[in-house]
Coordinates of all heavy atoms in Angstrom, one line a residue:
L4 N 76.8 133.6 90.2 CA 78.1 133.5 90.8 C 78.0 133.4 92.3 O 77.2 134.0 93.0 CB 78.8 134.9 90.5 CG 79.6 135.0 89.2 CD1 80.0 136.5 89.0 CD2 80.8 134.1 89.2
R5 N 78.8 132.5 92.8 CA 78.9 132.3 94.3 C 80.3 132.7 94.8 O 81.3 132.3 94.2 CB 78.6 130.9 94.7 CG 78.4 130.7 96.2 CD 77.6 129.4 96.5 NE 76.2 129.6 96.1 CZ 75.3 128.6 96.2 NH1 75.7 127.4 96.6 NH2 74.1 128.9 95.8
F6 N 80.4 133.5 95.8 CA 81.6 134.0 96.4 C 81.7 133.4 97.8 O 80.8 133.5 98.6 CB 81.7 135.5 96.5 CG 81.6 136.2 95.1 CD1 80.4 136.7 94.7 CD2 82.7 136.4 94.3 CE1 80.3 137.3 93.4 CE2 82.7 137.0 93.1 CZ 81.4 137.5 92.6
V7 N 82.9 132.7 98.0 CA 83.1 132.0 99.3 C 84.4 132.4 99.9 O 85.5 132.3 99.2 CB 83.0 130.5 99.2 CG1 83.1 129.8 100.5 CG2 81.7 130.1 98.5
A8 N 84.4 132.8 101.2 CA 85.6 133.0 102.0 C 85.8 131.8 102.8 O 85.0 131.5 103.7 CB 85.5 134.2 102.8
F9 N 86.9 131.0 102.6 CA 87.2 129.8 103.3 C 88.1 130.0 104.5 O 89.0 130.8 104.5 CB 87.9 128.8 102.4 CG 87.1 128.4 101.2 CD1 87.4 128.8 99.9 CD2 85.9 127.6 101.3 CE1 86.7 128.4 98.8 CE2 85.2 127.2 100.2 CZ 85.6 127.6 98.9
V10 N 87.8 129.2 105.5 CA 88.6 129.2 106.7 C 89.6 128.0 106.6 O 89.4 127.1 105.8 CB 87.7 129.1 108.0 CG1 87.1 127.7 108.1 CG2 88.5 129.5 109.3
N11 N 90.6 128.0 107.5 CA 91.5 126.8 107.7 C 92.1 126.2 106.4 O 92.1 125.0 106.2 CB 90.7 125.7 108.4 CG 90.4 126.1 109.9 OD1 90.8 127.2 110.4 ND2 89.8 125.2 110.6
E12 N 92.7 127.1 105.6 CA 93.4 126.6 104.4 C 94.8 126.2 104.8 O 95.4 125.2 104.2 CB 93.4 127.6 103.3 CG 93.9 127.1 102.0 CD 95.4 127.4 101.7 OE1 96.0 128.0 102.6 OE2 96.0 126.9 100.7
E13 N 95.4 127.0 105.7 CA 96.8 126.8 106.0 C 97.1 125.6 106.9 O 96.1 125.1 107.6 CB 97.4 128.1 106.7 CG 97.3 129.3 105.8 CD 98.3 129.3 104.7 OE1 99.0 128.3 104.5 OE2 98.4 130.4 104.0
P14 N 98.3 125.1 107.0 CA 98.7 124.1 108.0 C 98.3 124.5 109.4 O 98.3 125.7 109.7 CB 100.2 123.9 107.8 CG 100.5 124.4 106.5 CD 99.5 125.5 106.2
P15 N 97.8 123.6 110.2 CA 97.9 122.1 110.1 C 96.7 121.5 109.3 O 96.5 120.3 109.4 CB 97.9 121.6 111.5 CG 97.0 122.7 112.2 CD 97.3 124.0 111.6
F16 N 95.9 122.3 108.7 CA 94.7 121.8 108.0 C 94.9 121.4 106.6 O 94.1 120.7 106.0 CB 93.5 122.8 108.2 CG 93.2 123.2 109.6 CD1 93.7 124.4 110.1 CD2 92.5 122.4 110.4 CE1 93.5 124.8 111.4 CE2 92.3 122.7 111.7 CZ 92.7 123.9 112.2
F17 N 95.9 122.0 106.0 CA 96.0 121.8 104.5 C 96.0 120.4 104.1 O 96.7 119.5 104.6 CB 97.4 122.5 104.1 CG 97.5 122.7 102.6 CD1 96.5 123.5 101.9 CD2 98.5 122.1 101.9 CE1 96.6 123.7 100.6 CE2 98.6 122.3 100.5 CZ 97.6 123.1 99.8
Y18 N 95.2 120.1 103.1 CA 94.9 118.8 102.5 C 94.1 117.9 103.4 O 93.8 116.7 103.1 CB 96.2 118.0 102.2 CG 96.9 118.4 100.9 CD1 98.2 118.2 100.6 CD2 96.1 119.1 99.9 CE1 98.8 118.6 99.4 CE2 96.7 119.5 98.7 CZ 98.1 119.2 98.4 OH 98.7 119.5 97.3
G19 N 93.8 118.3 104.6 CA 93.1 117.5 105.6 C 91.6 117.6 105.5 O 91.0 118.5 104.9
H20 N 90.9 116.8 106.3 CA 89.4 116.8 106.3 C 88.8 118.0 106.9 O 87.6 118.4 106.7 CB 88.9 115.5 107.0 CG 89.3 114.3 106.3 ND1 88.9 114.0 105.0 CD2 90.0 113.2 106.7 CE1 89.3 112.8 104.6 NE2 90.0 112.3 105.6
E21 N 89.6 118.7 107.8 CA 89.1 119.9 108.5 C 89.4 121.2 107.8 O 89.1 122.3 108.2 CB 89.6 119.9 109.9 CG 89.1 118.7 110.8 CD 89.9 118.7 112.1 OE1 91.0 119.2 112.2 OE2 89.3 118.1 113.0
M22 N 90.1 121.1 106.6 CA 90.3 122.3 105.8 C 89.0 122.9 105.3 O 88.1 122.1 104.9 CB 91.2 121.8 104.6 CG 91.6 122.9 103.6 SD 92.6 122.2 102.3 CE 92.9 123.6 101.3
G23 N 88.8 124.2 105.5 CA 87.5 124.8 105.2 C 87.0 124.4 103.9 O 85.8 124.1 103.7
S24 N 87.8 124.5 102.8 CA 87.3 124.2 101.5 C 87.0 122.8 101.3 O 86.1 122.4 100.5 CB 88.3 124.7 100.4 OG 89.5 124.1 100.6
M25 N 87.7 121.9 102.0 CA 87.4 120.5 101.9 C 86.0 120.2 102.5 O 85.2 119.4 102.0 CB 88.5 119.7 102.7 CG 88.5 118.2 102.3 SD 89.2 117.8 100.7 CE 90.9 118.2 101.0
V26 N 85.7 120.8 103.7 CA 84.4 120.6 104.3 C 83.3 121.1 103.3 O 82.3 120.5 103.1 CB 84.3 121.4 105.6 CG1 82.9 121.4 106.2 CG2 85.3 120.8 106.6
Y27 N 83.6 122.3 102.7 CA 82.6 122.9 101.8 C 82.4 122.0 100.6 O 81.2 121.7 100.2 CB 83.1 124.3 101.4 CG 82.1 125.0 100.5 CD1 81.3 126.0 101.1 CD2 82.0 124.8 99.2 CE1 80.4 126.7 100.3 CE2 81.1 125.5 98.4 CZ 80.3 126.4 99.0 OH 79.3 127.1 98.2
A28 N 83.5 121.6 99.9 CA 83.4 120.8 98.7 C 82.7 119.5 99.0 O 81.9 119.0 98.1 CB 84.7 120.6 98.1
K29 N 83.0 118.8 100.1 CA 82.3 117.6 100.4 C 80.8 117.7 100.6 O 80.1 116.9 100.0 CB 82.9 117.0 101.7 CG 82.3 115.7 102.2 CD 83.0 115.2 103.5 CE 82.3 113.9 103.9 NZ 82.9 113.4 105.2
A30 N 80.4 118.8 101.3 CA 79.0 119.1 101.5 C 78.3 119.4 100.1 O 77.2 119.0 99.9 CB 78.8 120.2 102.5
A31 N 79.0 120.1 99.3 CA 78.5 120.5 98.0 C 78.2 119.2 97.1 O 77.2 119.1 96.5 CB 79.4 121.5 97.3
R32 N 79.2 118.3 97.2 CA 79.0 117.1 96.4 C 77.9 116.2 97.0 O 77.1 115.7 96.2 CB 80.3 116.3 96.5 CG 80.3 114.9 95.8 CD 79.7 115.0 94.4 NE 80.6 115.7 93.5 CZ 80.2 116.1 92.3 NH1 79.0 116.0 91.8 NH2 81.1 116.8 91.5
Q33 N 77.8 116.2 98.3 CA 76.7 115.4 98.9 C 75.3 116.0 98.5 O 74.3 115.3 98.3 CB 76.8 115.4 100.4 CG 78.0 114.5 100.9 CD 78.3 114.6 102.4 OE1 77.8 115.6 103.0 NE2 79.0 113.7 102.9
R34 N 75.2 117.3 98.3 CA 74.0 118.0 97.9 C 73.8 118.0 96.4 O 72.8 118.5 95.9 CB 74.0 119.4 98.5 CG 73.9 119.6 100.0 CD 73.6 121.0 100.4 NE 74.5 122.0 99.8 CZ 75.6 122.4 100.4 NH1 76.0 121.9 101.6 NH2 76.4 123.3 99.8
R35 N 74.8 117.5 95.7 CA 74.8 117.6 94.3 C 74.7 119.0 93.7 O 74.0 119.3 92.8 CB 73.7 116.7 93.7 CG 73.9 115.2 94.1 CD 72.8 114.3 93.4 NE 73.0 112.9 93.8 CZ 72.2 111.9 93.4 NH1 71.2 112.2 92.5 NH2 72.4 110.7 93.7
E36 N 75.5 119.9 94.3 CA 75.5 121.3 93.9 C 76.0 121.4 92.5 O 77.0 120.8 92.1 CB 76.4 122.1 94.8 CG 75.8 122.3 96.2 CD 74.7 123.4 96.2 OE1 74.8 124.4 95.4 OE2 73.8 123.3 97.0
P37 N 75.3 122.2 91.6 CA 75.7 122.3 90.2 C 76.8 123.3 90.0 O 76.6 124.3 89.3 CB 74.4 122.7 89.5 CG 73.7 123.5 90.6 CD 74.0 122.9 91.9
I38 N 78.0 123.1 90.6 CA 79.1 124.0 90.4 C 79.7 123.7 89.0 O 80.2 122.6 88.7 CB 80.1 123.8 91.5 CG1 79.5 124.0 92.9 CG2 81.3 124.8 91.3 CD1 80.4 123.6 94.0

């Protein structure tokens, strides 16, 4: 199990490239993380 506290979910970041979870998910995909 992995637990993650994300930053910058709320506007003005929501749906944007600087949204914390967007940064995280992009990096995970680049590393081919087995989520």
Side-chain angles (χ1 to χ4, degrees):
L4 274 169
R5 188 160 290 174
F6 299 96
V7 184
F9 296 112
V10 72
N11 287 2
E12 189 266 358
E13 298 287 5
F16 303 102
F17 193 60
Y18 280 161
H20 296 299
E21 295 171 335
M22 184 178 175
S24 57
M25 196 74 73
V26 172
Y27 186 99
K29 180 180 179 181
R32 176 51 68 194
Q33 290 173 340
R34 295 191 304 267
R35 298 184 179 180
E36 286 282 328
I38 302 173

